[in-house]
Amino acid sequence: MKTTKNDDKQEMKALIDENFVFAAKQYQYLMKNTPKDSLPKTFKNNKNINSDAYWWCSGFYPGTLFYIYEYTKDPSILAAANQKLTVLEPVKYFTQNHDLGFMMYCSFGNAYRLDNKQEYKDVILQSAKSLATRYRPDAKVIQSWEISEGALRQKGFVGPVIIDNMMNLEMLEWASLNSNDKSFANIARTHSNTTIKNHFRPDYSSYHVLDYDLTNGDVRKKVTAQGAADESAWSRGQGWALYGYIMMYRFTKDPAYLKQAKGIAQFILNHPNLPADKIPYWDFDAKEIPNALRDVSAASIFASALLELGQYTTGAEKEKYVSSAKTMIKSMSSDKYRAKLGTNGGYLLMHSVGSIPHNNEIDVPLTYADYYFAEALLRYKQWYL
C-alpha cells in the first residue's frame, strides 16, 4: 500500500513526539547524575563523567534542556537548565580558546530565544567580546588555541585554526544584530572567507587543523588532530563545516556561503563510504571501514544542518537534503543508536566518538550528539510538518 505525504508527516510527528517524551524522562536520570556545580561530559564504564564550566562542551547540556523544555514545557527541565546558567555565567570573560560560542551561545542563546531577559543578552554580548579577542587581524582568522599548550608547541605550531571555529561565529553574528557593534560580524565574515580559501580541498572536504603564520596569514601546515590522517575527511569536522556555512548564509545571504554549504553537503551525501542508514563512520577514510566505529555526533550535526540547508533550496535538491536528514533522524531514533530509558547515564544517544587518535571518548554518549539531535527534531517539526 502506497503511503501519502500526509501519512509520512503523521509518522514523523509521532516520532518527534515520542523522542521528546523519552528525552524528558531520560534527562531526569542525567539531572540526578550531575552535581550542581558541574556539567555532564560523557558516560563510560557505568560511570557518569562531568566537567567544570570551562570544558568546551559545557553549554550543550543546558542547551539540550532548553530544547526539551521548549517542546514539553516540563518545569523541572527548565529549572535544571536555569541552574546550569548560574554555573556557566563566569565563562563570559573566558578568552583562552575559540569555543566560547559552543559554551555560551548554545546555553544562553537558547535561554534568550525562549525568554528574552536583558541579563541573558548581556551575558552573550560579553561572551562575544571575549571571543573577539582571539581574532588575529594580520592573518584574518580567529586563533583556536594558545600555542603555550605542550602538544602544539612540540609540533611547532604558531597559529592553530580548526574547522570547528566556524560554529562559534554564530554568536558573533548574533552580537552584531543585537548591538551597534558591527565588528563582530566583520570578524565572523573575514574568518569565514579565509577558511573557504584555505581549509578545503577541491572536493569540498575539509582539513581539520591549519597552522597560520599570524603575521601575514600564510598557511604553514595542514594536519589533523582527531581524524584518521592529515588528508582524511574527519566526519565531525565535515559536520562543523556544513553547519557553519549554512549558518553564515542565514545571517549574510552571501551566495558564496550557500555554494560552500552545498558543496560540503554533496561531499557527505554522495560519499561511497556513507552507510545506508546515513550514520557516518568516525572518519570517511577510516582504515577499518566497514568495521570502523560510527559517530552519532557527526550524524546529529549533519541532520540539523541539512534541514536548514533545505530552507534555502528548492525542488529535487531540497528533497535530497531533507530526506537524508529524515533518514538520519529515523536511524538515530532506533534501538541501534538511541538508549533505553534509564540506561546510558541518562544520555539520549549512544555510539559517539570524541577522538580516536587521543584514545579519548570512544564509542560513548556525548553532550553535543544529544544537543544537535534535539535541535534537528525541533527543526523538522517547525519547518517540515
Side-chain angles (χ1 to χ4, degrees):
M1 189 169 129
K2 190 175 181 181
T3 59
T4 65
K5 283 189 176 181
N6 189 57
D7 291 335
D8 185 62
K9 283 190 173 184
Q10 289 304 312
E11 179 190 5
M12 285 303 292
K13 183 180 185 304
L15 183 69
I16 292 167
D17 285 342
E18 190 275 333
N19 266 303
F20 275 109
V21 169
F22 166 76
K25 293 178 181 177
Q26 181 74 341
Y27 261 51
Q28 295 291 338
Y29 293 96
L30 191 51
M31 287 153 58
K32 290 175 184 175
N33 291 328
T34 306
K36 280 201 166 184
D37 60 350
S38 299
L39 285 306
K41 189 175 180 182
T42 188
F43 178 74
K44 183 179 179 182
N45 298 327
N46 292 313
K47 182 180 178 182
N48 283 76
I49 300 170
N50 303 300
S51 75
D52 63 18
Y54 292 89
W55 176 243
W56 75 274
C57 302
S58 59
F60 290 118
Y61 170 66
T64 306
L65 288 170
F66 282 119
Y67 281 148
I68 296 170
Y69 170 74
E70 183 175 358
Y71 196 93
T72 66
K73 305 305 181 197
D74 183 329
S76 68
I77 297 289
L78 179 61
N82 286 331
Q83 190 274 320
K84 292 308 178 190
L85 293 184
T86 65
V87 179
L88 277 170
E89 184 173 351
V91 180
K92 65 188 178 184
Y93 296 115
F94 183 66
T95 60
Q96 296 306 298
N97 65 46
H98 71 109
D99 288 312
L100 218 61
F102 284 135
M103 298 152 82
M104 304 305 280
Y105 193 74
C106 294
S107 54
F108 280 90
N110 278 307
Y112 184 76
R113 185 174 58 81
L114 297 176
D115 185 2
N116 58 346
K117 292 181 179 178
Q118 183 65 38
E119 62 199 81
Y120 297 159
K121 181 177 180 179
D122 291 344
V123 169
I124 303 168
L125 291 175
Q126 175 56 52
S127 300
K129 290 177 184 177
S130 297
L131 177 57
T133 67
R134 300 205 58 77
Y135 181 64
R136 307 296 180 244
D138 293 333
K140 297 182 169 58
V141 291
I142 296 170
Q143 184 180 343
S144 294
W145 308 305
E146 294 302 304
I147 56 171
S148 59
E149 295 181 27
L152 295 175
R153 188 168 64 246
Q154 289 171 13
K155 291 180 179 179
F157 274 71
V158 174
V161 175
I162 57 177
I163 193 61
D164 317 36
N165 274 43
M166 289 300 304
M167 301 294 288
N168 296 289
L169 306 182
E170 185 169 8
M171 184 167 71
L172 296 180
E173 287 285 358
W174 183 95
S176 273
L177 279 180
N178 288 273
S179 71
N180 293 318
D181 190 344
K182 301 310 174 189
S183 67
F184 298 125
N186 291 338
I187 289 172
R189 295 169 198 194
T190 303
H191 181 95
S192 296
N193 296 339
T194 304
T195 301
I196 284 181
K197 178 184 175 184
N198 296 323
H199 234 98
F200 292 90
R201 306 179 184 95
D203 64 2
Y204 285 94
S205 66
S206 170
Y207 287 94
H208 183 200
V209 189
L210 265 61
D211 187 36
Y212 283 90
D213 182 328
L214 297 178
T215 66
N216 58 22
D218 288 348
V219 177
R220 302 176 70 248
K221 298 177 183 179
K222 297 185 178 185
V223 300
T224 195
Q226 290 164 266
D230 290 345
E231 291 296 331
S232 74
W234 173 53
S235 294
R236 193 164 66 251
Q238 311 316 303
W240 296 142
L242 175 66
Y243 193 113
Y245 280 100
I246 296 165
M247 175 272 297
M248 286 301 297
Y249 179 73
R250 182 204 317 154
F251 282 101
T252 67
K253 295 300 182 282
D254 184 335
Y257 298 153
L258 183 59
K259 178 185 176 185
Q260 192 72 18
K262 288 181 178 182
I264 299 163
Q266 291 306 307
F267 172 83
I268 292 168
L269 297 178
N270 294 338
H271 200 288
N273 287 342
L274 183 67
D277 66 1
K278 300 196 187 307
I279 308 298
Y281 300 105
W282 70 278
D283 191 297
F284 280 97
D285 303 296
K287 291 180 180 178
E288 304 83 4
I289 291 173
N291 299 313
L293 290 172
R294 306 292 189 92
D295 183 7
V296 168
S297 75
S300 66
I301 299 160
F302 291 173
S304 186
L306 288 167
L307 290 174
E308 182 166 10
L309 185 53
Q311 292 291 288
Y312 310 129
T313 50
T314 58
E317 188 177 28
K318 175 176 184 172
E319 171 59 25
K320 180 173 184 177
Y321 301 144
V322 177
S323 65
S324 296
K326 182 167 69 175
T327 298
M328 293 172 191
I329 289 171
K330 286 184 175 180
S331 296
M332 288 185 284
S333 302
S334 72
D335 290 344
K336 186 174 180 181
Y337 300 107
R338 205 185 78 177
K340 297 289 187 185
L341 187 64
T343 68
N344 205 39
Y347 292 85
L348 306 180
L349 299 177
M350 306 178 289
H351 306 309
S352 288
V353 173
S355 179
I356 284 181
H358 294 92
N359 194 30
N360 187 40
E361 299 176 342
I362 299 171
D363 197 22
V364 294
L366 291 170
T367 53
Y368 41 95
D370 284 6
Y371 178 87
Y372 291 104
F373 178 57
E375 183 177 82
L377 293 170
L378 283 172
R379 285 179 163 187
Y380 199 101
K381 178 179 182 288
Q382 177 183 350
W383 294 335
Y384 301 106
L385 291 181

